[in-house]
Amino acid sequence: MAIPSVRLATPGDARAIAGLSRDFIEYGLGWSYTPERILRAIRSRTTNVAVIEDRGDLLAVGIMDYGDAAAHLVLLGVQPAQRRRGLGRHILLWLEQCALTAGLEKIGVEVRADNPGAIGFYAALGYGARSRVPGYYRGVVDAVRLEKVLGSTGVEGAG
């Protein structure tokens, strides 16, 4: 099955993105990425909120903030029924290409330490572990901080 195209989110996507975050990313932590917070990200001049949808159903989302020299992957999620299809990789490579085009040097991301599948996903795409941050997520769950240097790791031509 072909992967649908990545597009920038619109305000109408905010509720579905927030629900995906609440149910499958922030589970056990409370709800931080509310529809209002997602709307602020969609409207931000320094953030891309990218989605993959099919026939009106949100399949995957990625949110990346862009700074002067580095980008920060804020959120990446795929609906559970859509996992293992390459959607997360597709949206992440799209966001990485945006960062590379902007002339940024690296991308950072934090991942729940209790999610070895996500850590492995990022490692397979060239992200290296930099540190562990105790209690990063609301004092409850540790994070693994990862980083990818752009330009020398095969991001060119992605997307």
Side-chain angles (χ1 to χ4, degrees):
M1 182 186 284
I3 295 176
S5 298
V6 175
R7 66 168 174 80
L8 291 174
T10 66
D13 296 313
R15 186 167 302 284
I17 294 167
L20 173 71
S21 180
R22 178 195 61 219
D23 296 343
F24 304 113
I25 299 170
E26 299 181 82
Y27 57 89
L29 300 174
W31 195 15
S32 174
Y33 287 93
T34 62
E36 295 77 21
R37 187 172 182 187
I38 299 299
L39 275 172
R40 285 193 303 273
I42 289 169
R43 293 178 176 139
S44 172
R45 298 175 75 122
T46 60
T47 304
N48 276 342
V49 180
V51 297
I52 298 175
E53 59 96 22
D54 188 28
R55 297 182 199 112
D57 293 327
L58 178 74
L59 305 181
V61 61
I63 301 176
M64 189 173 286
D65 288 331
Y66 301 92
D68 292 334
H72 182 250
L73 183 62
V74 175
L75 197 69
L76 182 70
V78 177
Q79 292 286 356
Q82 300 298 322
R83 292 180 183 162
R84 315 291 301 167
R85 290 184 49 206
L87 298 173
R89 180 181 187 280
H90 187 61
I91 207 164
L92 180 57
L93 292 176
W94 189 91
L95 289 164
E96 287 180 358
Q97 187 62 50
C98 292
L100 188 64
T101 299
L104 302 183
E105 300 168 5
K106 61 187 174 181
I107 297 172
V109 62
E110 292 79 31
V111 180
R112 290 175 68 131
D114 64 356
N115 190 344
I119 295 167
F121 166 81
Y122 288 109
L125 290 171
Y127 287 77
R130 296 291 176 241
S131 62
R132 186 177 181 109
V133 184
Y136 180 85
Y137 295 102
R138 298 190 180 223
V140 176
V141 177
D142 293 355
V144 176
R145 188 166 279 147
L146 301 121
E147 182 178 274
K148 180 174 184 174
V149 176
L150 298 176
S152 62
T153 54
V155 176
E156 301 88 346

